[in-house]
Amino acid sequence: MARAFDLLVFDWDGTLLDSAGAIVTAIHAACDDLGLPLPAEERARHVIGLGLRDALRYAVPDLPEERYPQMVDRYRHHYLSHDHELLLFAGVAELIAELADSGFLLAVATGKSRLGLERALRTSGLGGHFHASRCADECFSKPHPQMLVELMDELSVAPERTLMIGDTTHDLQMARNAGVASLAVAYGAHPAAALDALAPLARLQEVAEMAAWLRTHA
């Protein structure tokens, strides 16, 4: 069967790595350190996938911009204290290896910093499978299409041959803005109804379902 896509672009947090809970916990702990009201969990989860400053504007809207460096520092302190304990979702390592062996071009588009992604790629052991990546500190934050546009340019793949895979509306809207098809996973940060509203090709409930879909449709 002819392949539908050449390039598969994955979000990281909440799609490959089971980190959504840790991100919310770090946001809450940073707010507590600075004596700020804790955002509701739903509000904190909504920012997952955004660049850190965009995330703060939404999660802590009353925080003056001059205090952002303090908030960023405390968030990173709490997140990095535990990020080595985070695990890939079950089946992710095997799936990424399978896709790489099958000849797909693989990339990451993430709200993490470059330093954070490189650390995560090393810790997870997945770094060798990805051909390119873009991070929020070197591009506009999602849902701006810059990450996808640059990845497609670097790897010489057309939008119609590219698939974005993510767990948030930020991922799916970025794909739409770049003219790229999307695939939603509902085991991460954003609720199923919000994902469905952006019309992904499919919404999948677990990694095994994602693997089966990619084997038969990608």
Side-chain angles (χ1 to χ4, degrees):
M1 185 173 69
R3 180 170 288 175
F5 301 103
D6 300 313
L7 171 59
L8 306 180
V9 183
F10 289 88
D11 169 59
W12 188 264
D13 289 303
T15 300
L16 300 181
L17 188 74
D18 187 4
S19 54
I23 292 170
V24 171
T25 297
I27 290 172
H28 283 171
C31 288
D32 196 47
D33 287 349
L34 299 181
L36 301 169
L38 271 58
E41 180 169 347
E42 181 179 356
R43 191 172 188 89
R45 290 178 73 87
H46 182 78
V47 308
I48 293 170
L50 296 177
L52 196 47
R53 284 184 172 268
D54 287 330
L56 293 181
R57 287 189 187 96
Y58 185 87
V60 196
D62 296 329
L63 181 68
E65 191 154 350
E66 61 268 21
R67 297 194 70 192
Y68 278 16
Q70 293 174 282
M71 183 72 180
V72 169
D73 177 71
R74 297 316 299 162
Y75 168 81
R76 286 180 171 155
H77 167 77
H78 289 292
Y79 184 80
L80 293 176
S81 295
H82 298 284
D83 72 331
H84 61 284
E85 301 169 2
L86 301 177
L87 300 175
L88 298 169
F89 287 104
V92 160
E94 295 81 2
L95 173 60
I96 295 299
E98 176 186 334
L99 294 170
D101 289 345
S102 297
F104 286 102
L105 292 170
L106 302 181
V108 173
T110 178
K112 300 181 88 64
S113 67
R114 171 56 59 186
L115 184 63
L117 178 62
E118 294 300 330
R119 175 179 169 129
L121 289 171
R122 287 194 305 272
T123 302
S124 67
L126 294 186
H129 296 307
F130 290 101
H131 299 85
S133 58
R134 288 295 185 279
C135 299
D137 60 349
E138 56 200 17
C139 291
F140 288 113
S141 181
K142 302 172 187 178
H144 193 284
Q146 184 183 2
M147 291 187 195
L148 284 176
V149 170
E150 289 193 2
L151 288 168
M152 290 186 288
D153 285 348
E154 178 178 342
L155 298 172
S156 300
V157 180
E160 63 268 20
R161 303 293 300 175
T162 301
L163 178 65
M164 177 68 209
I165 303 161
D167 69 308
T168 71
T169 56
H170 315 308
D171 299 313
L172 305 190
Q173 188 64 58
M174 176 177 66
R176 178 176 285 187
N177 292 343
V180 166
S182 65
L183 189 65
V185 298
Y187 51 76
H190 284 191
L195 299 173
D196 290 346
L198 287 165
L201 296 180
R203 171 174 48 81
L204 306 167
Q205 300 299 321
E206 56 187 28
V207 174
E209 285 187 21
M210 175 170 63
W213 191 97
L214 291 171
R215 291 185 191 112
T216 55
H217 293 86

